[in-house]
Amino acid sequence: MTDAPPTRGSPADGLPATSPSWHARTPDEVLSLLGSRQEGLTEEEARARLERHGPNVIERQKGEGPLKLLWRQVNSPFIWVLIASAVLAIAMGKVTDGLVVAAVVVLNTLIGFVQEYRAGKAIEALSRMVPENATVLRGGRKLSVPASRLVPGDIVELASGDKVPADMRLLSSRNLQVEEAALTGESVPAHKRVEAVDAGAELGDRTSLVFGGTLVTSGTGTASVVATGGATELGRISQMLSEATDLQTPLTKALATIAKYITGAILVVSVVLLGVGLWRGYELSEAVVVAITLAVAAIPEGLPAIVTIALAIGVQRMAARRAVIRKLPAVETLGSTTVICSDKTGTLTRNEMTVQALWTPAGRYDVTGVGYAPTGELRRGADALRELPGDVRELLVAGALCNDAALRGQGDGWEMTGDPTEGALVVAAEKAGLRVDAVRSECPRLDAIPFESEHQFMATLHDEGPGRRRILLKGAPEVVLRRCAPADGVTSEEVLAEVERLASEGMRVLAVAVRDVPASQAQIREEDVAGGLRLVGLEGMIDPPREEVIAAVRTCHEAGIVVKMITGDHPATAEAIGAQLGLQAEGTRGITGAQLAQLDDAALREVAVSHHVFARVAPEHKLRLVKALQARRHVAAMTGDGVNDAPALKQANIGVAMGITGTAVSKEAADIVLADDNFASIAAAVEEGRRVYDNLIKSLAFVLPTNLGLALILMFGVAFFPIQAIGGDLVPLMAMLPTQLLWINLVATVTLALPLAFEAPEADVMRRAPRDPDAPVLNRFVLMRTGLVALLMGAGAIGLFLWEYRRELPRVGHGVALAEAQTMAVNTVISFQIFYLWMCRTLTGSLREVGLFSNRTVFAGIAVLVLLQAAFMYLPFMQRVFGTAPLSVESIGLCVLIGAVVLPVVGLEKWLLHRGGYSVVKQVHRDEEGPRPPPPTGTSRGERLPA
């Protein structure tokens, strides 16, 4: 909530000239500033204010239309060169060549268009969070009006189950609790009260305010509207969401850079080649065709399809590991993540309040394995409580009786109804072997004082058998203790010290007390709970960390990924959970949103890196933290489930929303949705992301030598091949036709490169540091390997082309000899590709390390290509389209033999790398990993922070 709506107008307008902190004002002051009254505005006032302030709706921002999305797919260097090549080819009479190139453009454009079509719906989801109707007082009359017509100064009535229609200041309340997790991250409903709070209170501590889009879970109240539409907390988040930027992923940036350089090089070389052709006597049309052919040869047309399909395979694998990918590039981005900023409730923790400690005057009892799971599973394993001391049994029974929560079901199918805190007390009793329903039947409730925020306790009167009735009271420890008589053997100071110890461990503490009353008493009187009670003990509870998350955090640290907790929950709770998870040292203080608000951008960047637990943060704090980490060159993943997380989710390099507890807003803003709301699934997705990236690099190392090799073949022919007189025309000799080059680039290369996407992860994939997102994909190692294989491929294809052409020319003439020689050159290149594919399964290691049969799709890819190549050579239709000719078994065997040369040569290169101490390999890793993020540290609250 902002401190005030826009600062224009006067009290009569319903907007003050100054900017008050509504939560710090009394109800009378609020009504005076708003120019309103207890009986509400008149209809005339409401209409006038609606005209001035507009409807209570969040403006929708339209996403990109289909045409804009389509244009973005076309507007790339590769595509423009291909379009120009297709147009020139058709203009020069090469219609078949031009249409084939145009088909490539259409295919790549459609793949990208479908991939991005459903993005950008987060703000539309925000608008759906505002309810349709609200109950208001207008001129003293109770009316139901559309929520969109609420104005500042309206008096609204709230009841259990209502969705709050706007930001409002409470005027009255009775046991009012509001579920605000979507905005604040609190794991339990917030108790609301009328009393003003400190002006500097954080969003989660503004107990006198209720916010639009939240849900009333119990109680009733009346409140005055102080902000509507875009001025609400929800509207402010919507504005931040629209301003947050969608960042390019490291891979898309790297591929864009590659495309830029390759396109520039192709244009330069094409112009040079055009000049060389004209200088050597080529006709202009032939010289232009040669330049087009070079562009077709050098552009990796199949690369976009390979990348998209490899990412799609990663999507399927991540879905099996409970991570649903909404945007394909997010798969690869996970692999380069350096820091994960995680929400606490439900992601790092179970999202179930669990009793962790019991205290009686006789001592403390630690409790583990006790809790209610939202999935319906009633956790077992609290056998330590089966043998109960009498004082512990009394404490558990009292906590379960003075309680409105209930468990329903049997076996493993349990459902809890009621307040989560009270539910934890019931579950603790059940786990201890007590049957709460039976105990409640034996000790029926006769009367009750329900919990209200004004007195902070609940009291019940029970009939415990003939001649015995007892009052049970539970509530805030300091409130209960004031009503208790001195306990035997323990002082009030000792009890409060124990409360402090439990609270310092992040626990919410409830005290339980009892008092015997006459058997004839049927109601609880005020004096019965004013004093003279006996303290039974304390119950400390917390939303505990998930067991599997502790191991997942350790895995992330081993992988060089820093994990940070950013939550709206209480600092003590966040610090305790952070210590249990290993995010920071025990006793280390976290950072609050109030402290972050006092830091400038430079100081915030330092704190964002050095600290790992942030509590009581508002949406703008989360957004600033993500931006600060990105300013320090981190690739930031952000998890969240609430509306308050949406701007940071969108701003982060990778946004991760919760599938179970997540709001529609957070899911639409995110790139990934976790099906199980579990942080451990993020760690698994990171591993999959790194594997995807490794396999994409293998695909790139496989594809680029083919394009460079084809370009070398063409350039060598233009520079040195003879120009022959055929039928009165000067015809240049070309080792391959443009359609044949496209066959290699699109069919052969894609068919062989796709199996690399199925390679298993390298053994050290989660032991290496994250790669530097700014490091070039085309590092020194990839460039050296590309040049080496391209030279081998070019030399082999040119040699066999010339040998076959000269051998067959005297016997069959130019046309047939040229077709056979070109077909032989194509087969030679494909043979090189098949053998080189095996070397790319591990770029620097031995094939024995990955296993010959560990990726059976390689065999499938080779088999498919062999069949396609047979059709390419022997089917008459294919011969007409691609200008090929059938080859003998002897000629095919020669192509295979020459192609196999790549095995010993690349094998020797790998051996030299190993013998040289992995110097080039280490350089590859430095290029890919970048700087390792610092491990979790124990920085104290005071370092680089305001007092």
Side-chain angles (χ1 to χ4, degrees):
M1 167 85 189
T2 52
D3 283 345
T7 58
R8 54 185 170 81
S10 64
D13 296 326
L15 288 175
T18 58
S19 297
S21 298
W22 297 113
H23 51 281
R25 302 279 182 168
T26 66
D28 290 340
E29 289 176 325
V30 170
L31 291 175
S32 176
L33 286 167
L34 291 171
S36 185
R37 59 200 73 87
Q38 290 285 351
E39 60 271 20
L41 304 172
T42 65
E43 286 290 349
E44 292 74 17
E45 289 174 324
R47 279 195 297 270
R49 294 188 183 194
L50 185 63
E51 291 178 4
R52 278 192 291 270
H53 309 311
N56 177 36
V57 295
I58 296 173
E59 294 184 6
R60 299 188 179 194
Q61 179 176 332
K62 292 185 178 180
E64 293 180 329
L67 291 179
K68 190 172 182 180
L69 286 177
L70 195 63
W71 170 253
R72 189 160 66 243
Q73 312 312 316
V74 174
N75 191 24
S76 74
F78 281 171
I79 297 298
W80 284 121
V81 171
L82 288 176
I83 290 174
S85 299
V87 171
L88 280 174
I90 294 173
M92 294 294 178
K94 307 289 185 178
V95 177
T96 301
D97 295 344
L99 291 178
V100 171
V101 175
V104 174
V105 173
V106 172
L107 177 64
N108 284 336
T109 301
L110 287 178
I111 289 174
F113 176 79
V114 171
Q115 173 185 330
E116 295 189 18
Y117 183 69
R118 297 190 64 233
K121 297 182 180 178
I123 295 179
E124 287 86 342
L126 269 172
S127 65
R128 292 194 293 271
M129 293 191 67
V130 178
E132 295 181 0
N133 293 288
T135 302
V136 302
L137 291 175
R138 291 273 173 88
R141 293 187 303 123
K142 188 183 296 186
L143 303 173
S144 178
V145 302
S148 61
R149 299 184 67 82
L150 289 180
V151 296
D154 261 330
I155 306 301
V156 178
E157 292 192 353
L158 298 172
S160 180
D162 288 347
K163 185 172 285 187
V164 179
D167 288 1
M168 301 187 289
R169 173 62 166 90
L170 284 175
L171 305 178
S172 66
S173 70
R174 181 172 179 81
N175 196 28
L176 185 65
Q177 298 186 53
V178 180
E179 173 60 66
E180 295 182 336
L183 285 177
T184 66
E186 286 278 12
S187 53
V188 294
H191 293 282
K192 295 296 182 177
R193 56 178 65 90
V194 176
E195 290 78 18
V197 297
D198 184 74
E202 293 296 328
L203 189 71
D205 296 323
R206 298 177 185 179
T207 54
S208 58
L209 294 178
V210 290
F211 303 103
T214 59
L215 180 68
V216 178
T217 58
S218 65
T220 59
T222 59
S224 177
V225 175
V226 296
T228 60
T232 63
E233 181 68 21
L234 202 62
R236 194 166 62 87
I237 293 173
S238 174
Q239 181 62 29
M240 286 191 293
L241 187 58
S242 66
E243 293 172 356
T245 56
D246 278 319
L247 302 177
Q248 277 191 305
T249 71
L251 181 66
T252 54
K253 288 193 293 186
L255 292 178
T257 302
I258 292 173
K260 181 175 65 176
Y261 286 123
I262 290 179
T263 302
I266 289 172
L267 292 176
V268 171
V269 175
S270 295
V271 171
V272 172
L273 203 62
L274 179 64
V276 171
L278 293 173
W279 174 72
R280 291 204 61 211
Y282 280 52
E283 296 290 338
L284 177 61
S285 61
E286 293 292 344
V288 170
V289 169
V290 168
I292 293 173
T293 304
L294 176 69
V296 172
I299 290 178
E301 292 93 347
L303 188 59
I306 292 169
V307 170
T308 301
I309 295 172
L311 293 177
I313 292 170
V315 166
Q316 294 176 346
R317 292 185 179 276
M318 287 187 181
R321 303 182 79 167
R322 314 300 292 169
V324 179
I325 308 299
R326 292 188 65 250
K327 302 174 183 177
L328 278 182
V331 179
E332 178 272 334
T333 310
L334 270 174
S336 58
T337 299
T338 62
V339 58
I340 300 175
C341 302
S342 178
D343 190 23
K344 177 184 72 69
T345 305
T347 308
L348 299 175
T349 63
R350 297 177 187 165
N351 195 21
E352 53 186 76
M353 291 303 292
T354 305
V355 173
Q356 296 278 289
L358 303 174
W359 179 92
T360 71
R364 173 172 170 171
Y365 302 84
D366 289 317
V367 183
T368 57
V370 180
Y372 169 80
T375 55
E377 171 197 2
L378 192 59
R379 300 183 186 276
R380 300 296 178 185
D383 294 332
L385 289 179
R386 299 294 181 184
E387 301 295 333
L388 293 178
D391 56 344
V392 175
R393 185 182 187 88
E394 183 183 25
L395 175 60
L396 289 169
V397 168
L401 289 176
C402 186
N403 198 310
D404 290 328
L407 282 176
R408 295 288 180 265
Q410 58 182 355
D412 289 331
W414 294 86
E415 180 182 358
M416 190 270 287
T417 58
D419 182 84
T421 300
E422 291 194 318
L425 302 181
V426 174
V427 172
E430 289 276 355
K431 291 306 183 178
L434 302 172
R435 291 296 171 253
V436 173
D437 286 345
V439 172
R440 288 176 174 176
S441 297
E442 295 170 3
C443 306
R445 181 188 296 185
L446 303 177
D447 192 22
I449 298 177
F451 178 91
E452 290 191 11
S453 56
E454 286 76 12
H455 49 60
Q456 297 189 39
F457 69 82
M458 174 183 181
T460 56
L461 172 63
H462 296 268
D463 185 348
E464 297 190 348
R468 186 180 181 189
R469 292 188 177 181
R470 175 179 284 192
I471 291 176
L472 306 177
L473 183 141
K474 80 172 193 303
E478 61 276 10
V479 173
V480 174
L481 203 56
R482 286 199 303 267
R483 289 165 167 76
C484 292
D488 294 335
V490 63
T491 65
S492 297
E493 290 74 16
E494 289 174 321
V495 177
L496 291 174
E498 181 62 30
V499 171
E500 194 65 31
R501 278 192 293 272
L502 293 172
S504 68
E505 297 174 23
M507 295 190 197
R508 165 175 282 194
V509 184
L510 290 178
V512 179
V514 300
R515 178 175 186 169
D516 293 327
V517 296
S520 60
Q521 185 168 329
Q523 291 183 321
I524 303 176
R525 299 169 302 186
E526 185 175 339
E527 58 266 26
D528 292 331
V529 293
L533 287 93
R534 175 174 60 86
L535 180 68
V536 178
L538 307 172
E539 296 199 50
M541 63 200 72
I542 196 172
D543 180 12
R546 295 174 181 256
E547 293 85 351
E548 64 273 21
V549 168
I550 297 175
V553 169
R554 188 183 308 114
T555 298
C556 287
H557 288 165
E558 291 174 353
I561 301 171
V562 175
V563 180
K564 298 179 185 291
M565 179 196 300
I566 304 178
T567 178
D569 215 337
H570 194 276
T573 303
E575 290 161 5
I577 297 298
Q580 293 179 48
L581 290 172
L583 303 185
Q584 62 180 20
E586 189 170 350
T588 302
R589 304 301 298 272
I591 306 301
T592 66
Q595 291 173 301
L596 292 176
Q598 299 180 53
L599 300 176
D600 59 24
D601 290 343
L604 181 65
R605 285 194 289 270
E606 294 298 320
V607 170
V609 171
S610 63
H611 292 71
H612 307 288
V613 173
F614 301 87
R616 276 291 186 255
V617 292
E620 63 269 21
H621 300 146
K622 295 185 179 185
L623 190 59
R624 286 188 70 202
L625 281 169
V626 170
K627 290 182 176 179
L629 289 167
Q630 290 170 336
R632 292 291 298 267
R633 297 181 64 248
H634 277 286
V635 177
M638 173 74 190
T639 78
D641 57 2
V643 180
N644 59 332
D645 299 317
L649 287 174
K650 185 178 179 183
Q651 176 66 39
N653 301 84
I654 184 78
V656 184
M658 303 299 109
I660 299 175
T661 60
T663 61
V665 181
S666 63
K667 292 175 186 177
E668 290 294 340
D671 306 290
I672 295 177
V673 178
L674 296 185
D676 57 359
D677 288 14
N678 195 336
F679 181 88
S681 297
I682 304 175
V686 168
E687 179 181 1
E688 191 62 43
R690 291 190 173 191
R691 163 181 157 155
V692 167
Y693 179 80
D694 283 353
N695 291 345
L696 284 174
I697 294 299
K698 293 174 184 178
S699 299
L700 196 64
F702 173 78
V703 169
L704 292 183
T706 298
N707 295 106
L708 180 58
L710 295 177
L712 291 175
I713 292 170
L714 187 62
M715 289 188 290
F716 185 88
V718 172
F720 300 107
F721 280 7
I723 301 175
Q724 298 184 345
I726 306 296
D729 297 323
L730 294 177
V731 179
L733 203 60
M734 296 181 66
M736 291 182 194
L737 299 173
T739 52
Q740 294 170 347
L741 293 170
L742 280 173
W743 172 267
I744 295 174
N745 275 344
L746 284 178
V747 179
T749 302
V750 172
T751 302
L752 293 179
L754 285 181
L756 291 175
F758 293 90
E759 285 295 330
E762 302 283 349
D764 66 340
V765 70
M766 288 300 282
R767 295 197 301 271
R768 66 175 82 141
R771 62 186 179 85
D772 182 356
D774 295 328
V777 172
L778 294 181
N779 53 54
R780 188 177 70 183
F781 170 75
V782 174
L783 291 175
M784 289 175 57
R785 174 67 61 80
T786 297
L788 174 65
V789 176
L791 286 172
L792 287 174
M793 186 181 294
I798 290 171
L800 281 185
F801 169 80
L802 292 175
W803 179 80
E804 179 71 9
Y805 179 74
R806 289 171 178 170
R807 185 171 71 92
E808 293 295 320
L809 182 62
R811 188 169 62 87
V812 297
H814 170 76
V816 175
L818 181 62
E820 290 183 356
Q822 289 173 337
T823 304
M824 201 161 184
V826 171
N827 274 280
T828 303
V829 170
I830 288 177
S831 296
F832 267 101
Q833 287 182 311
I834 290 174
F835 288 110
Y836 182 51
L837 174 65
W838 294 100
M839 307 307 289
C840 286
R841 291 187 58 197
T842 171
L843 291 179
T844 58
S846 167
L847 188 58
R848 292 191 301 272
E849 297 175 9
V850 298
L852 183 64
F853 299 100
S854 61
N855 183 4
R856 298 183 185 275
T857 57
V858 171
F859 295 94
I862 293 173
V864 169
L865 181 58
V866 168
L867 293 176
L868 290 173
Q869 196 62 19
F872 176 80
M873 289 186 291
Y874 299 114
L875 291 182
F877 166 74
M878 301 289 278
Q879 291 173 354
R880 288 193 298 272
V881 173
F882 293 100
T884 58
L887 295 181
S888 64
V889 174
E890 178 189 36
S891 296
I892 294 175
L894 190 58
C895 295
V896 172
L897 183 63
I898 295 299
V901 171
V902 76
L903 291 175
V905 173
V906 175
L908 177 62
E909 180 214 27
K910 291 184 179 182
W911 180 80
L912 291 174
L913 292 178
H914 281 259
R915 188 177 182 183
Y918 297 90
S919 58
V920 176
V921 178
K922 289 179 180 177
Q923 179 63 43
V924 173
H925 287 176
R926 282 197 296 272
D927 288 346
E928 293 180 351
E929 292 174 359
R932 182 183 289 269
T937 59
T939 309
S940 65
R941 179 185 295 240
E943 293 184 26
R944 294 186 296 276
L945 291 174

